[in-house]
Amino acid sequence: MAAKGRVTIREVAERAGVSVATVSRVLSGNYPVPPATRTRVMRAARALDYVANAHARALVGGGRKMVAVVLRQVTSPFYAQVAEGVEAEAAARGWLCLVGTTGGNPQRELEIVQLMREEGARLVILVGGVVEDDAYRERVAHYAQALDSSGARLVLCGRQAPDPDIPALVVEFDNEAGAHAITGHLLSAGHRGIVFLGGLPGNTALDARVAGYRAALAQHGLPPEAAQVVDCGLGRTAGHRAMAELLVGTREFTAVFAGDDMVAAGALRAIAEAGLRVPDDISVVGYNDIPLAEDFNPPLTTVRTPAEELGRAAVRIALHDPEHAAGAHHVLGTHIVVRDSVAAPPSGRAR
Amino acid sequence: MAAKGRVTIREVAERAGVSVATVSRVLSGNYPVPPATRTRVMRAARALDYVANAHARALVGGGRKMVAVVLRQVTSPFYAQVAEGVEAEAAARGWLCLVGTTGGNPQRELEIVQLMREEGARLVILVGGVVEDDAYRERVAHYAQALDSSGARLVLCGRQAPDPDIPALVVEFDNEAGAHAITGHLLSAGHRGIVFLGGLPGNTALDARVAGYRAALAQHGLPPEAAQVVDCGLGRTAGHRAMAELLVGTREFTAVFAGDDMVAAGALRAIAEAGLRVPDDISVVGYNDIPLAEDFNPPLTTVRTPAEELGRAAVRIALHDPEHAAGAHHVLGTHIVVRDSVAAPPSGRAR
DNA sequence: TTGAAAGCGCTAACAT
DNA sequence: ATGTTAGCGCTTTCAA
């Protein structure tokens, strides 16, 4: 058996009675080797339980197939799905997947991108919306340029490139269209007082949803003042608290459009706690269609954003046509999933 | 600016007018270097936007700090939390985190472990219960031995070591105790007809829960036939379907103990669809206490298994005391979280 | 204080 | 058909 430490190609060569070159050749399989020696080598490798040293391989071969996903957290159902899509697509091509979480900390994001560069990731996928300020723009420009100059590629998933000239691939959903559609759904059901719960000024994804919401309101002939945006941010807890607060006063609304399904979950609970029913008393819609949205009580009407597909698309596009991928902008479609959380406003309250 | 490809230490050395050795020294910072040269080198590195090549570094330095998590999927809230715990604890120590998903496929698991070995992961964490057959036992024994012989470490999270002599660290919850406790909670509320929804014979985690459930029943003086185990496996969908089927016949139960919270989610929906109310008509409890369990309608009474802590503990213990970690077995405590999904059985139905 | 040089494990010419 | 050898980028003796 091997001494301490990993078995190297040399030990395999010795045991098989051949040179390291021969071992390398049969292992990589891209070179004609007589079956006889081939078997000898394989047998030796197996006996020693040899595993190649990926570092040495990468060093000489110019890096290995590895993609890095960096996201705020993996416990958000939406992000988790994106990560799963990335991992699945990568794995299907024999690529490895490194993950890093930032907790929303820009400094940490920078460190992680740096780390991924050191590791030689050929694809760095940044997932999730962010507040887009000058610091952000500068950071992303730097990532893109640095990655690009070393032959790697930056992919922005669900966030925009600060500048179209930046060598980054952008893959995202049309948040504005999705928000517009679902607001329209609420409007069609007769609602006029619709509050948007979960704004986060500066966050590109949320801002776009708010824009879609306002546009839909306007298109239905409502005045700008009809828009009621509560900037409570995302998350179950935020949704719960904000909804609870909304419920104490005189209600100026009959429906709520939650910024995402987690906010909707919190809002639903606050409504139930207030002794009100959905959709009889208040209609609620969400965004993203996380798997559990179907099991909410009542099942949630929401906008389906195929998150796993977003992740898959990110790596597929980036890997398929690397040249074209730089600077490209892909928008994935979304659609409404109608379930049971929307009804006509309670009679007497429709305005 | 750099030519095509990554900037190397040599280019930095040239620009700074020193040797590569000097650059290496200031970069690693573990060697006295005069401030003057130090600054020169730093400036050059910065100007070139140099990032070290982790492969070269690992090659000479004998591997790098990397932990690998392999799990069935990341979109399960429970697994996602474990993964987050692992990543967080690893990151806090400056370690990298590689993830791989198996989709429950043993063959794939084997490939991934192999890959992680090639990458030189110093910790391979296998997460989640599995059906424990002979093939599994053999596989794990091989992983452990192989990893151990190359100085790496195997951690089993939420699954048992097939043999106590195997050099693997086991970190898991006491499933039997948790199940016993929550079954007791149902029993105390007056329920006698309790069905366990989500058995998966051969799966160690589920089997333990079923055992705890049976033990609690027995302890309350109920005959063995009182146990009603539905082996529908895990998942929202399975829970929904199985519950729906259960609801068509004459009900022999007043409460359901779902194998995990996702099963509970599906069951809750099936109950609502049948026009029944929880907990008035049927009480429901889950397992794991995923974040969304609090937002279920009604909020779910369940067993809290601190998943993120499980992940953190796995790396903490493995890294803290490597010697002792081999063959160690850590059991993390769980406790019941009482919310609103349990009530006394409807009068006239309590037996 | 700094440089030269020897590898780390592997692959890919280049020889034989 | 197979062996020899020159690096890949870096760290680390060993010299100077």
Side-chain angles (χ1 to χ4, degrees):
Chain A
M1 191 81 286
K4 207 58 205 165
R6 282 165 74 157
V7 176
T8 73
I9 200 175
R10 174 135 61 214
E11 299 175 54
V12 177
E14 275 169 18
R15 175 159 184 141
V18 296
S19 74
V20 294
T22 303
V23 176
S24 173
R25 286 195 267 255
V26 347
L27 259 27
S28 46
N30 52 13
Y31 200 90
V33 173
T37 30
R38 178 182 183 71
T39 337
R40 278 228 312 294
V41 171
M42 291 303 259
R43 206 189 302 284
R46 195 100 52 177
L48 262 23
D49 194 24
Y50 168 81
V51 280
N53 183 322
H55 299 309
R57 222 172 230 181
L59 191 54
V60 53
R64 70 192 174 314
K65 299 167 171 181
M66 186 160 75
V67 7
V69 228
V70 3
L71 24 74
R72 170 183 284 268
Q73 55 175 9
V74 282
T75 40
S76 143
F78 180 74
Y79 290 150
Q81 277 185 281
V82 176
E84 188 147 296
V86 169
E87 201 276 341
E89 189 69 29
R93 296 156 185 262
W95 285 51
L96 243 34
C97 180
L98 212 46
V99 295
T101 60
T102 65
N105 179 347
Q107 178 57 32
R108 175 84 189 127
E109 178 182 282
L110 200 146
E111 289 170 14
I112 292 188
V113 172
Q114 200 75 352
L115 233 64
M116 300 313 191
R117 280 221 279 159
E118 290 189 3
E119 290 302 317
R122 300 231 278 259
L123 219 56
V124 174
I125 305 180
L126 264 33
V127 182
V130 282
V131 338
E132 189 171 328
D133 52 14
D134 284 344
Y136 167 77
R137 274 181 275 274
E138 199 174 317
R139 222 163 0 114
V140 169
H142 174 71
Y143 297 159
Q145 179 272 319
L147 254 7
D148 187 70
S149 85
S150 54
R153 189 135 270 104
L154 178 66
V155 182
L156 267 20
C157 242
R159 59 168 80 171
Q160 294 166 337
D163 182 326
D165 291 336
I166 276 181
L169 165 64
V170 175
V171 186
E172 59 172 346
F173 295 117
D174 189 340
N175 280 297
E176 188 164 343
H180 192 132
I182 197 130
T183 306
H185 179 70
L186 252 14
L187 256 2
S188 303
H191 295 277
R192 291 299 175 266
I194 303 173
V195 1
F196 184 97
L197 201 67
L200 198 53
N203 180 298
T204 51
L206 266 335
D207 285 349
R209 288 177 208 170
V210 170
Y213 155 79
R214 290 188 197 277
L217 257 31
Q219 189 180 313
H220 274 248
L222 296 181
E225 314 84 72
Q228 307 174 52
V229 177
V230 177
D231 291 330
C232 63
L234 298 184
R236 308 182 315 107
T237 318
H240 178 258
R241 183 173 20 208
M243 191 71 229
E245 280 172 18
L246 234 36
L247 256 19
V248 298
T250 57
R251 300 209 304 276
E252 301 284 326
F253 61 93
T254 57
V256 357
F257 175 3
D260 77 4
D261 291 347
M262 298 299 273
V263 170
L268 248 23
R269 175 158 60 99
I271 294 172
E273 286 169 354
L276 265 17
R277 286 158 311 151
V278 174
D280 314 68
D281 298 311
I282 299 178
S283 288
V284 175
V285 299
Y287 210 98
N288 280 351
D289 192 26
I290 62 172
L292 275 170
E294 188 181 2
D295 295 310
F296 284 3
N297 184 2
L300 189 69
T301 290
T302 185
V303 177
R304 171 135 182 74
T305 51
E308 194 184 326
E309 176 55 22
L310 180 68
R312 302 192 89 108
V315 354
R316 192 185 326 116
I317 297 170
L319 258 33
H320 180 264
D321 188 358
E323 301 317 313
H324 172 247
H329 190 143
H330 287 251
V331 177
L332 268 45
T334 62
H335 65 266
I336 298 183
V337 176
V338 176
R339 290 198 273 249
D340 312 323
S341 63
V342 173
S347 50
R349 285 197 57 92
R351 300 187 297 186
Chain B
M1 192 80 287
K4 206 58 204 163
R6 281 164 75 158
V7 176
T8 73
I9 200 175
R10 174 135 60 215
E11 299 174 54
V12 177
E14 275 169 19
R15 177 162 184 137
V18 296
S19 73
V20 295
T22 304
V23 176
S24 173
R25 287 195 264 255
V26 346
L27 258 27
S28 43
N30 51 13
Y31 199 89
V33 173
T37 29
R38 177 182 184 72
T39 343
R40 278 228 311 292
V41 170
M42 291 303 261
R43 205 188 303 283
R46 195 101 51 179
L48 262 23
D49 194 26
Y50 168 81
V51 280
N53 182 322
H55 299 310
R57 219 171 232 182
L59 190 54
V60 52
R64 70 192 175 312
K65 299 168 170 179
M66 187 160 74
V67 8
V69 229
V70 2
L71 24 73
R72 171 183 285 267
Q73 55 176 9
V74 283
T75 39
S76 143
F78 180 74
Y79 289 150
Q81 277 185 281
V82 176
E84 187 147 297
V86 169
E87 202 276 340
E89 189 69 30
R93 296 156 185 263
W95 286 52
L96 244 33
C97 181
L98 213 46
V99 294
T101 60
T102 64
N105 179 348
Q107 179 55 35
R108 175 87 188 124
E109 179 182 280
L110 200 147
E111 288 170 15
I112 292 187
V113 172
Q114 201 75 353
L115 231 64
M116 299 313 189
R117 281 221 279 158
E118 291 189 2
E119 291 302 318
R122 300 230 277 259
L123 219 56
V124 174
I125 304 180
L126 263 34
V127 183
V130 281
V131 338
E132 189 173 325
D133 53 14
D134 283 345
Y136 167 76
R137 273 182 276 274
E138 199 175 316
R139 222 164 0 114
V140 169
H142 174 71
Y143 295 159
Q145 180 271 319
L147 253 8
D148 186 69
S149 84
S150 54
R153 191 135 268 106
L154 177 66
V155 182
L156 266 22
C157 242
R159 61 168 78 170
Q160 295 166 335
D163 183 325
D165 291 336
I166 277 180
L169 165 65
V170 175
V171 186
E172 61 173 345
F173 295 117
D174 189 339
N175 280 297
E176 189 165 342
H180 192 131
I182 197 132
T183 307
H185 179 70
L186 252 14
L187 257 2
S188 303
H191 295 276
R192 291 300 174 266
I194 304 172
V195 1
F196 184 97
L197 201 68
L200 197 53
N203 180 298
T204 53
L206 266 335
D207 283 352
R209 288 176 208 170
V210 170
Y213 156 79
R214 291 189 198 275
L217 257 32
Q219 189 181 312
H220 274 247
L222 296 182
E225 313 85 71
Q228 307 175 51
V229 177
V230 178
D231 292 330
C232 64
L234 297 184
R236 306 181 318 105
T237 318
H240 178 258
R241 183 173 21 207
M243 190 72 229
E245 281 173 17
L246 233 37
L247 255 20
V248 299
T250 58
R251 299 209 303 278
E252 302 284 326
F253 60 93
T254 56
V256 358
F257 175 2
D260 77 4
D261 291 347
M262 298 300 273
V263 171
L268 248 23
R269 176 159 58 100
I271 294 172
E273 286 169 355
L276 265 16
R277 286 158 311 151
V278 174
D280 314 69
D281 298 312
I282 299 179
S283 287
V284 174
V285 299
Y287 210 98
N288 280 352
D289 192 26
I290 61 173
L292 275 171
E294 188 181 2
D295 295 310
F296 284 4
N297 185 2
L300 189 69
T301 289
T302 184
V303 177
R304 173 136 180 73
T305 51
E308 194 185 325
E309 176 53 23
L310 179 68
R312 302 192 88 109
V315 354
R316 194 186 324 118
I317 298 171
L319 257 34
H320 179 266
D321 188 359
E323 302 316 312
H324 173 248
H329 190 144
H330 287 251
V331 176
L332 267 46
T334 63
H335 65 268
I336 297 182
V337 176
V338 176
R339 288 200 273 250
D340 312 324
S341 62
V342 173
S347 51
R349 286 198 57 93
R351 303 187 296 184

